[in-house]
């Protein structure tokens, strides 16, 4: 439904910045995460899709029709899409329900009221209806902004760093809200986030950007477990990398330059293939421990899901069950 063919956008001040030669498709109802390090072109890509930036080259279509750029429309931004940006764009001194209702036309006042009530109920903010925006917390404001964005039933919701204002608890809640909304309303959601966990937990498909280029894409589980690039592995997980000579000392034979291992691939168990390591440090992480293990001067990490089981300095038998090779 959204299609980009060889799309490039370069900013005149810096011709290396922006995005280059991006081709992709997004299906109706998909939850998409655009992930990449800072400056990789995530926001640029989002604005191109919305139509608030025009490409220098290539073509963008929505349901088969050209996406008009900012110079082709009186009010830039596609009519069937809504962008929820980091500055919530709320009327601070108006009440919550007024902020939400103001998105709808006055043609049918009764329907307008009902839709606004339904939307507040859906997002769990009904009890805030009569409060003014200035009286709300950042997380509550974010929900009102989301209600405003989706009350007009856009086909596509674009989110630029939607969790930036939220603490850990609210973030988890808001993630769940978004996932539910996508499912319940069938909205296509395209989210830009610098936190890979957002993409891994929410997205049906991830697009990985590096230096303005789309270097890989796919379902989160596939991209996480079989990244094509070191960059992606570094971005998505707590992967650690060993040069092949060090990997050899761990019992891993590889012709590639680097071996990449996720801590969860390191198993603490004794088999014919296990090697002895010393627990150099234990980092408590709540429901699990991150163990720093050392063998012949080389350090690796392991996940221990039974905190308290091991002591610092203890020797343990370790099997590295899986690794990936990169040149
Ligand atoms: N209006 C602009 N004028 C000039 N250069 C720009 C402009 N907007 C973005 N850029 C440059 O284009 C590149 C990509 O920027 P973009 O904001 O798309 O990246 P991003 O991945 O969203 O970054 P971040 O995670 O830091 O928000 C960066 O090098 C940035 O400096």
């Amino acid at each position: 439904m959204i299609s980009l063919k060889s799309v490039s956008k370069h900013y005149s001040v810096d011709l290396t910045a922006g995005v280059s030669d991006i081709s992709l498709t997004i299906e109706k109802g998909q939850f998409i995460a655009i992930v990449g390090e800072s400056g990789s072109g995530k926001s640029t890509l989002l604005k191109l899709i919305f139509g608030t930036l025009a490409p220098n080259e290539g073509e963008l279509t929505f349901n088969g029709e050209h996406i008009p750029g900012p110079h082709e429309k009186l009010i830039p931004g596609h009519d069937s899409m809504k962008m929820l940006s980091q500055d919530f764009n709320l009327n601070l001194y108006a009440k919550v329900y007024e902020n939400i209702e103001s998105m709808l036309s006055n043609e049918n006042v009764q329907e307008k009221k009902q839709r606004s009530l339904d939307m507040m109920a859906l997002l769990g903010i009904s009890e805030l209806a009569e409060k003014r925006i200035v009286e709300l917390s950042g997380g509550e404001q974010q929900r009102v902004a989301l209600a405003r964005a989706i009350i007009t039933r856009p086909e596509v919701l674009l989110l630029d760093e939607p969790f930036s204002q939220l603490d850990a608890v609210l973030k988890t809640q808001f993630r769940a809200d978004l996932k539910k909304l996508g499912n319940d309303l069938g909205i296509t959601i395209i989210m830009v986030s610098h936190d890979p966990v957002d993409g891994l937990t929410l997205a049906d498909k991830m697009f990985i950007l590096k230096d303005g280029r789309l270097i890989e894409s796919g379902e989160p589980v596939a991209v996480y477990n079989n990244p094509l690039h070191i960059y992606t592995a570094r971005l998505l997980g707590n992967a650690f990398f060993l040069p092949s000579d060090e990997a050899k000392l761990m019992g891993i034979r590889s012709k590639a330059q680097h071996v990449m291992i996720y801590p969860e691939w390191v198993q603490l168990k004794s088999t014919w293939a296990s090697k002895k390591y010393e627990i150099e440090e234990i980092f408590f992480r709540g429901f699990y421990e991150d163990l720093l293990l050392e063998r012949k001067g080389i350090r690796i990490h392991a996940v221990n899901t039974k905190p308290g089981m091991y002591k610092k300095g203890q020797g343990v038998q370790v099997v590295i069950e899986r690794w990936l090779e990169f040149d």
Side-chain angles (χ1 to χ4, degrees):
M1 104 197 272
I2 293 172
S3 161
L4 274 68
K5 289 205 180 84
S6 306
V7 168
S8 296
K9 164 71 196 173
H10 295 292
Y11 297 100
S12 47
V13 276
D14 179 0
L15 290 176
T16 58
V19 296
S20 301
D21 197 19
I22 296 209
S23 297
L24 56 85
T25 53
I26 296 169
E27 303 299 331
K28 184 174 167 40
Q30 270 187 326
F31 198 129
I32 300 291
I34 302 173
V35 183
E37 61 188 17
S38 184
S40 57
K42 304 181 297 291
S43 299
T44 303
L45 182 56
L46 206 63
K47 288 176 193 158
L48 285 164
I49 294 172
F50 190 33
T52 47
L53 268 183
N56 301 116
E57 280 166 52
E59 175 61 13
L60 295 100
T61 57
F62 176 60
N63 292 338
E65 288 179 9
H66 165 71
I67 297 179
H71 305 301
E72 298 167 71
K73 284 193 79 226
L74 213 50
I75 303 169
H78 199 286
D79 296 335
S80 304
M81 304 187 196
K82 273 280 181 307
M83 168 92 86
L84 183 63
S85 53
Q86 295 171 30
D87 49 351
F88 305 137
N89 217 356
L90 298 170
N91 182 348
L92 292 180
Y93 296 97
K95 292 180 175 171
V96 166
Y97 81 89
E98 291 166 338
N99 267 278
I100 298 171
E101 279 186 6
S102 66
M103 297 301 289
L104 300 173
S105 83
N106 271 327
E107 263 170 51
N108 185 337
V109 179
Q110 200 48 45
E111 190 196 316
K112 181 170 163 170
K113 274 217 146 32
Q114 193 54 50
R115 276 179 66 182
S116 164
L117 287 173
D118 291 347
M119 189 50 68
M120 288 189 283
L122 186 70
L123 287 174
I125 50 172
S126 304
E127 70 283 8
L128 304 176
E130 296 289 333
K131 283 198 171 181
R132 291 184 306 153
I133 302 298
V134 277
E135 298 167 333
L136 304 183
S137 70
E140 290 166 342
Q141 290 187 13
Q142 194 138 22
R143 278 169 185 231
V144 179
L146 181 61
R148 257 171 74 88
I150 58 176
I151 194 162
T152 53
R153 290 290 171 105
E155 287 181 59
V156 181
L157 177 64
L158 304 163
L159 303 166
D160 197 353
E161 298 285 355
F163 308 107
S164 55
Q165 306 276 333
L166 307 181
D167 63 33
V169 176
L170 283 175
K171 194 168 167 162
T172 308
Q173 252 174 41
F174 196 61
R175 274 196 193 125
D177 287 349
L178 274 181
K179 187 82 182 167
K180 185 168 167 346
L181 278 179
N183 291 342
D184 291 0
L185 305 179
I187 302 178
T188 306
I189 300 179
I190 308 175
M191 173 183 76
V192 159
S193 175
H194 70 272
D195 183 349
V197 178
D198 297 337
L200 289 172
T201 45
L202 289 172
D204 300 311
K205 191 171 184 184
M206 298 175 99
F207 291 116
I208 312 288
L209 289 191
K210 178 174 189 274
D211 299 333
R213 292 186 178 270
L214 176 62
I215 59 163
E216 61 182 299
S217 63
E219 288 179 22
V221 174
V223 176
Y224 179 87
N225 282 315
N226 291 297
L228 299 177
H229 300 272
I230 286 191
Y231 171 87
T232 309
R234 282 192 203 283
L235 203 64
L236 297 187
N238 302 312
F240 54 90
F241 297 83
L242 298 174
S244 52
D245 54 332
E246 289 189 5
K248 205 169 161 188
L249 296 175
M250 311 275 123
I252 297 172
R253 285 187 188 280
S254 164
K255 288 205 175 73
Q257 278 185 13
H258 290 96
V259 164
M260 174 282 230
I261 304 165
Y262 283 127
E264 63 269 26
W265 294 347
V266 177
Q267 297 289 323
L268 284 85
K269 62 182 182 190
S270 186
T271 71
W272 61 269
S274 57
K275 301 238 178 303
K276 193 166 178 224
Y277 287 70
E278 187 185 305
I279 299 181
E280 195 170 281
E281 200 58 72
I282 299 176
F283 301 101
F284 180 57
R285 299 263 195 254
F287 64 92
Y288 74 97
E289 285 171 351
D290 171 12
L291 304 181
L292 179 64
L293 308 173
E294 188 268 344
R295 173 185 164 80
K296 296 185 180 170
I298 297 157
R299 287 170 181 81
I300 62 173
H301 288 264
V303 174
N304 170 32
T305 51
K306 296 192 183 88
M309 197 172 158
Y310 299 104
K311 288 201 171 50
K312 211 169 138 173
Q314 186 179 339
V316 282
Q317 291 293 326
V318 168
V319 182
I320 298 176
E321 296 215 310
R322 202 186 155 208
W323 62 86
L324 293 175
E325 300 178 358
F326 292 99
D327 279 322

